Amino acid sequence: MIRLILGGTYMIVFFLISVFYWAVIGIVGHFNKEKADYMSLHTIQRVLKALIFICGIKVTVVGEENVPKDRAVLYVGNHKSDFDTIITYARCPRLTGYVAKNSLEKAPFLRVWMRKVHCLFLNREDTRQGLKTILAAIDNIKAGISMTIFPEGGRNKTDAPTIPFHEGSFKPATKTGCPIIPMAISNSENIFETHRPFIRSTHVVLQYGKPIIPDELEGDDRKFIGAYTQKIIENMLVDNQKYL
């Protein structure tokens, strides 16, 4: 319980002083928008790294050399825990937005920070709005901003390593030709979800796979790129076990 209290208190304090950060970032952004964007990115990453430490989470990272640092990519990962976003976002080497559930848009301080780092909110119940979100993700990638999406359509609450990936989640990559970076996240559900309301010290493995270039795929692999990527991530999850 102590980790939950410490982590919650830390985030409340950060949100309360966010107005100061927003003022500084706003002034910088008036003269240099890209610099302001990176200020937001680095601020959030420092906060998330501190939160990871407070929660006692040890992260073993494998294959980080597979992540391009000179171009926008589409990160795609399995999703077992709300901490998946915290762990992965803390390591993004360049501007990166996440496609998040639209319920997060109701959180006052959080939604402002998410918008500042180019996150998008997806309404899974509204097909038209969902299409607009995907189109916005495509525009972000064209503008040089990486995007991250968890294509299972929500947190996987089953015992299976993954649940079917939605093919539509891959349109930001297939429409722009950007690399897809598969992410395999193991053991993150044991931070919080398997024993709510407690946060427990946990060893998590995050593995980045080799870039998948949509235009280089053929046949069914290209037609069903979601299923193709899901199989790669499942194999990576098996490989992750040797690090736990």
Side-chain angles (χ1 to χ4, degrees):
M1 183 63 75
I2 186 65
R3 290 190 178 92
L4 179 64
I5 294 172
L6 289 175
T9 302
Y10 172 72
M11 292 306 298
I12 289 171
V13 172
F14 169 66
F15 285 142
L16 289 176
I17 64 174
S18 288
V19 176
F20 166 76
Y21 284 100
W22 295 338
V24 174
I25 291 169
I27 293 170
V28 173
H30 183 73
F31 300 98
N32 188 326
K33 186 178 184 306
E34 184 178 16
K35 185 174 181 179
D37 282 348
Y38 272 100
M39 286 178 64
S40 296
L41 170 69
H42 295 150
T43 297
I44 292 300
Q45 287 185 321
R46 285 192 292 269
V47 169
L48 295 183
K49 287 175 181 177
L51 183 62
I52 289 169
F53 175 78
I54 290 170
C55 293
I57 303 167
K58 175 188 175 183
V59 183
T60 295
V61 182
V62 182
E64 202 160 23
E65 69 277 3
N66 291 320
V67 180
K69 297 179 175 59
D70 60 347
R71 63 179 301 186
V73 304
L74 178 68
Y75 295 98
V76 173
N78 63 301
H79 191 27
K80 284 273 193 175
S81 170
D82 291 335
F83 276 85
D84 294 336
T85 298
I86 294 170
I87 291 167
T88 56
Y89 195 80
R91 309 198 67 86
C92 296
R94 54 182 294 123
L95 296 178
T96 303
Y98 276 55
V99 176
K101 56 187 177 183
N102 65 327
S103 60
L104 293 177
E105 199 170 12
K106 299 176 182 178
F109 289 96
L110 180 61
R111 72 180 176 219
V112 176
W113 276 115
M114 291 180 72
R115 287 170 180 164
K116 285 185 178 297
V117 293
H118 301 284
C119 290
L120 303 172
F121 300 97
L122 177 65
N123 185 344
R124 301 190 186 103
E125 307 302 322
D126 189 325
T127 303
R128 182 177 296 178
Q129 291 300 319
L131 178 58
K132 287 183 178 180
T133 301
I134 294 299
L135 292 175
I138 292 171
D139 288 341
N140 276 356
I141 289 175
K142 288 180 178 178
I145 301 165
S146 295
M147 293 300 300
T148 302
I149 193 164
F150 296 110
E152 291 164 303
R155 187 165 56 84
N156 175 11
K157 300 177 183 179
T158 74
D159 293 330
T162 64
I163 54 179
F165 284 12
H166 294 279
E167 295 291 337
S169 300
F170 293 80
K171 287 190 181 296
T174 57
K175 295 296 184 181
T176 63
C178 79
I180 298 167
I181 305 299
M183 301 187 299
I185 309 163
S186 296
N187 212 35
S188 60
E189 68 275 16
N190 288 320
I191 301 170
F192 180 65
E193 279 75 13
T194 59
H195 41 70
R196 296 172 183 268
F198 302 102
I199 290 177
R200 292 181 179 171
S201 179
T202 305
H203 180 197
V204 175
V205 179
L206 167 61
Q207 182 173 175
Y208 296 96
K210 293 181 178 180
I212 300 169
I213 310 300
D215 291 343
E216 294 180 358
L217 299 179
E218 298 179 352
D220 284 346
D221 290 343
R222 184 168 184 170
K223 184 177 180 181
F224 302 107
I225 195 168
Y228 175 79
T229 305
Q230 181 178 2
K231 185 62 177 177
I232 289 174
I233 290 176
E234 287 182 344
N235 289 336
M236 292 164 61
L237 290 171
V238 173
D239 185 61
N240 280 356
Q241 296 307 305
K242 67 186 179 186
Y243 300 104
L244 289 172

